[in-house]
Amino acid sequence: MTSTLVDTSLRYRRRKLFSNIMVGAATAAALGMMAILALILGQVFLEGGRYLNLDFFTQRPQPLGQEGGGMANAIVGSLIVLAIAAVLALPVGFFTGIYLSEYASDRFAGFVRFVVETMAGVPSIVVGIFAYVLIVRQTGTFSAIAGGFALAVIMIPIFARAAEEALATVPFSLREGAMALGIPSWRIVLRIVVPTAGPGIVTAAMLALARAGGETAPLIMTALGNRFWHDGLMDPIATLPVQIWTYATGPYDEWHQQAWAGSLVLVGVTVGIIGFVRLVYRGTQFRQL
Amino acid sequence: MTQHDTSTATKEREVSGTSATEHPAVQASSPGQSHVAHVESTAPGSLRVDDLEAYYGSFRAVSPVSMAIEGRKVTAIIGPSGCGKSTFIRCLNRMHETARGAHIRGHIYLDGEDINGPKVDPVVIRRKIGMVFQKPNPFPTMSIYDNVAAGLKINGIKSKERSMDEIVEQALRQAALWDEVKDKLKQAGTALSGGQQQRLCIARALAVEPEVLLMDEPCSALDPIATLAIEDLIRQLAPQVTIVIVTHNMQQASRVSDRTAFFMMNAQRSGELVEYDTTAKVFTNPADKRTDDYVTGRFG
């Protein structure tokens, strides 16, 4: 007796095979991607872990030929340059996001979005040249300010779009409810919409900072780097990515070891930020009304 | 997501220059002047709608409507889906104009004053004419207490006579929610049940002490028990605030309202007012055949 429920035709088997191949390919691609990340992290943790020590965080680079030393000046420098970038970029990005989400007409918003996305797509070396011409050449010196400015240009579009998306998740019914209470539009935005989108906006800011913190090319042309503690915001300043780049491309083994340790710190901070952001998101009940 | 509150309003609104001469009685009827020509009640919070048309771009969603809404009474707006009843009440507190390209013609008077007057800010109108929506929409970042206080707090309004605690308590009592939430005022408003959330939204609207409360199908997202609670509430509130309620539920209209307006879509797909009378008359002895067909369930 042949079953009417079991299809044994060639066509069916071919379809089944094709389906299995596609699922297999997709799974393999996903696993491959995870393997790449695992290799990067694994190598950085292994090599970096071997050379990372307390001195790395407390000492500045030693003169050539001497053992030890660290990148304390570069870590502090990175924080300073990032702080400058945040001060410049976060307000601009925040209000651009608000403008896009709350006030722009559809057509103009589309245009602004296009500009923002184009800006996000500008290669970071070009941003570096831009900051070099605009600030380094004008002030006559490489500086923390110029570095912060370059990173700000990189952060603004990332943060603006992410902030806009966070604001767009706030249901229109909340704005409507607030309007019906006779609350003026700017107060609705600041007191109802922004707090509701709060976790998303904080996330956006942190991811933009993480992204800018790892940028190297624009800093080479602006902050330059410095083997010593910086003398002020208008002077060249060491930053972690540039220091890593300098040491990794140098000829000495001690430098390579320091570069590995620096990579570990940089990757650790980035992974830490992303992990923190995920935790924040899990902790928040994002209720869609 | 964009609001064009004031800009579109002033740009798009078309005010006929003849209003003053056409409606002298209306212009003169401030509360306290009892000699006005029309016979409608002079209780505070009364609305008068004159030849109101509502548009979305060039599409006319509501054909000329004229009606007087009595102060401190409950007026129900009924009609089949798409008949423009929601659009109509959204005109009454100038929420209609917040949609892109939306504008109106004609006039609406609150206690004799044109709410679309050239110098009238829609924000002020919405403090006097509050609104409750289909789906409860408490502010998710705020506690129950802060939700109720939001309208006053965010606007920086402080009462000299009463503390914020008193205002919040009174609003929650008016909304018949106080006993259920008095021990958890600091909890999130979104943690309440759907019916409680809707009463919270009513309390929030009442806290700013509006003259009129518009309700756009306030029970459509609620279960029957929560619906009955809201209906009771509407009856209790009527002596203090004028209520205009849109509902697709005819039993609800007959239970809660003093007067009923029946809207229908005409051949141009535009909503028009078919009949407006006391609720008893509309449901038992309507003048128009279409009303009769609708309330007896022959269509809609």
Side-chain angles (χ1 to χ4, degrees), chain A residues 68-135:
Chain A
M71 291 194 185
N73 60 335
I75 293 171
V76 170
S78 263
L79 291 177
I80 288 172
V81 172
L82 273 180
I84 293 168
V87 166
L88 295 174
L90 294 185
V92 178
F94 178 68
F95 285 109
T96 305
I98 286 181
Y99 178 76
L100 283 173
S101 149
E102 308 296 321
Y103 293 107
S105 67
D106 284 346
R107 270 181 75 176
F108 193 63
F111 176 69
V112 174
R113 240 173 247 131
F114 172 74
V115 169
V116 169
E117 267 153 25
T118 307
M119 203 171 142
V122 171
S124 60
I125 186 75
V126 176
V127 172
I129 294 169
F130 171 66
Y132 175 82
V133 170
L134 198 72
I135 300 198

Side-chain angles (χ1 to χ4, degrees), chain A residues 101-106 170 172-185 187 191-192 195-196 287 289, chain B residues 1-3 5 90 95 98 100 123 126-127 129-131 133 135 137-142 151 154-155 190 204-205:
Chain A
S101 149
E102 308 296 321
Y103 293 107
S105 67
D106 284 346
V170 177
F172 186 69
S173 64
L174 292 184
R175 296 173 175 83
E176 221 174 31
M179 263 190 265
L181 289 175
I183 302 174
S185 121
R187 279 186 165 142
R191 301 289 296 274
I192 310 277
T196 307
R287 282 181 86 109
L289 295 168
Chain B
M1 295 284 157
T2 318
Q3 295 132 23
D5 262 12
R90 290 173 67 88
M95 289 293 285
T98 62
R100 190 177 305 280
V123 164
R126 292 178 203 137
R127 269 174 222 166
I129 308 179
M131 191 162 199
F133 299 87
K135 270 167 88 184
N137 55 357
F139 302 133
T141 55
M142 295 185 193
I154 296 179
N155 280 320
T190 44
R204 182 176 73 185

Side-chain angles (χ1 to χ4, degrees), chain A residues 249-262:
Chain A
T249 53
Y252 313 105
D253 277 346
E254 305 90 79
W255 279 21
H256 295 165
Q257 294 168 6
Q258 292 279 323
W260 277 117

Side-chain angles (χ1 to χ4, degrees), chain B residues 214-257:
Chain B
L214 308 175
M215 301 178 125
D216 188 0
E217 301 197 23
C219 302
S220 64
L222 305 182
D223 64 66
I225 293 170
T227 298
L228 279 180
I230 303 273
E231 287 180 7
D232 280 347
L233 177 58
I234 291 170
R235 290 306 326 166
Q236 285 164 28
L237 287 174
Q240 302 148 52
V241 57
T242 308
I243 292 175
V244 183
I245 177 173
V246 165
T247 177
H248 55 233
N249 178 334
M250 282 180 281
Q251 286 73 34
Q252 182 168 75
S254 67
R255 282 192 296 262
V256 302
S257 69

Side-chain angles (χ1 to χ4, degrees), chain B residues 111-179:
Chain B
D111 294 327
E113 266 192 275
D114 190 341
I115 69 166
N116 293 296
K119 285 181 184 153
V120 176
D121 187 337
V123 164
V124 175
I125 294 303
R126 292 178 203 137
R127 269 174 222 166
K128 289 178 182 284
I129 308 179
M131 191 162 199
V132 173
F133 299 87
Q134 278 191 31
K135 270 167 88 184
N137 55 357
F139 302 133
T141 55
M142 295 185 193
S143 66
I144 293 170
Y145 183 101
D146 287 338
N147 260 285
V148 179
L152 297 170
K153 257 192 185 168
I154 296 179
N155 280 320
I157 300 170
K158 279 208 186 84
S159 161
K160 284 198 184 80
E161 304 92 61
R162 297 190 303 156
S163 70
M164 191 62 86
D165 288 355
E166 287 172 313
I167 294 171
V168 168
E169 178 175 341
Q170 197 205 348
L172 284 168
R173 281 188 191 282
Q174 282 181 302
L177 190 59
W178 174 251
D179 289 332

Side-chain angles (χ1 to χ4, degrees), chain A residues 140-154:
Chain A
T141 172
F142 294 100
S143 66
I145 298 280
F149 175 80
L151 292 190
V153 173
I154 287 166

Side-chain angles (χ1 to χ4, degrees), chain B:
Chain B
M1 295 284 157
T2 318
Q3 295 132 23
H4 279 274
D5 262 12
T6 44
S7 57
T8 28
T10 39
K11 244 186 293 166
E12 305 260 348
R13 188 163 33 79
E14 302 185 30
V15 181
S16 101
T18 55
S19 65
T21 49
E22 272 174 16
H23 307 291
V26 171
Q27 294 288 347
S29 73
S30 61
Q33 282 177 294
S34 53
H35 65 273
V36 289
H38 56 92
V39 291
E40 282 82 23
S41 83
T42 47
S46 61
L47 287 166
R48 184 176 173 82
V49 178
D50 271 335
D51 288 331
L52 179 74
E53 300 166 72
Y55 290 83
Y56 292 102
S58 58
F59 171 67
R60 185 164 78 171
V62 175
S63 296
V65 169
S66 294
M67 63 191 283
I69 293 168
E70 276 187 271
R72 306 296 185 255
K73 289 278 162 62
V74 179
T75 301
I77 315 278
I78 62 168
S81 303
C83 68
K85 47 192 196 300
S86 282
T87 304
F88 172 73
I89 75 159
R90 290 173 67 88
C91 294
L92 299 183
N93 70 340
R94 298 188 59 177
M95 289 293 285
H96 173 66
E97 67 199 45
T98 62
R100 190 177 305 280
H103 58 106
I104 67 156
R105 290 183 195 205
H107 297 273
I108 299 160
Y109 302 93
L110 172 64
D111 294 327
E113 266 192 275
D114 190 341
I115 69 166
N116 293 296
K119 285 181 184 153
V120 176
D121 187 337
V123 164
V124 175
I125 294 303
R126 292 178 203 137
R127 269 174 222 166
K128 289 178 182 284
I129 308 179
M131 191 162 199
V132 173
F133 299 87
Q134 278 191 31
K135 270 167 88 184
N137 55 357
F139 302 133
T141 55
M142 295 185 193
S143 66
I144 293 170
Y145 183 101
D146 287 338
N147 260 285
V148 179
L152 297 170
K153 257 192 185 168
I154 296 179
N155 280 320
I157 300 170
K158 279 208 186 84
S159 161
K160 284 198 184 80
E161 304 92 61
R162 297 190 303 156
S163 70
M164 191 62 86
D165 288 355
E166 287 172 313
I167 294 171
V168 168
E169 178 175 341
Q170 197 205 348
L172 284 168
R173 281 188 191 282
Q174 282 181 302
L177 190 59
W178 174 251
D179 289 332
E180 291 159 63
V181 301
K182 64 183 174 201
D183 299 321
K184 49 178 180 181
L185 292 172
K186 295 289 162 215
Q187 284 182 23
T190 44
L192 297 172
S193 74
Q196 288 174 324
Q197 285 191 19
Q198 193 60 301
R199 277 179 283 151
L200 178 62
C201 293
I202 293 171
R204 182 176 73 185
L206 291 172
V208 296
E209 299 191 312
E211 294 288 330
V212 182
L213 188 57
L214 308 175
M215 301 178 125
D216 188 0
E217 301 197 23
C219 302
S220 64
L222 305 182
D223 64 66
I225 293 170
T227 298
L228 279 180
I230 303 273
E231 287 180 7
D232 280 347
L233 177 58
I234 291 170
R235 290 306 326 166
Q236 285 164 28
L237 287 174
Q240 302 148 52
V241 57
T242 308
I243 292 175
V244 183
I245 177 173
V246 165
T247 177
H248 55 233
N249 178 334
M250 282 180 281
Q251 286 73 34
Q252 182 168 75
S254 67
R255 282 192 296 262
V256 302
S257 69
D258 300 295
R259 292 170 78 89
T260 297
F262 173 57
F263 277 67
M264 244 183 85
M265 195 158 72
N266 65 18
Q268 288 79 46
R269 307 191 65 76
S270 179
E272 66 180 27
L273 177 59
V274 174
E275 184 160 356
Y276 177 45
D277 214 317
T278 62
T279 297
K281 176 102 179 2
V282 168
F283 279 96
T284 56
N285 187 22
D288 194 292
K289 170 107 177 27
R290 292 169 293 176
T291 314
D292 194 28
D293 287 348
Y294 184 72
V295 299
T296 53
R298 247 164 271 163
F299 80 96

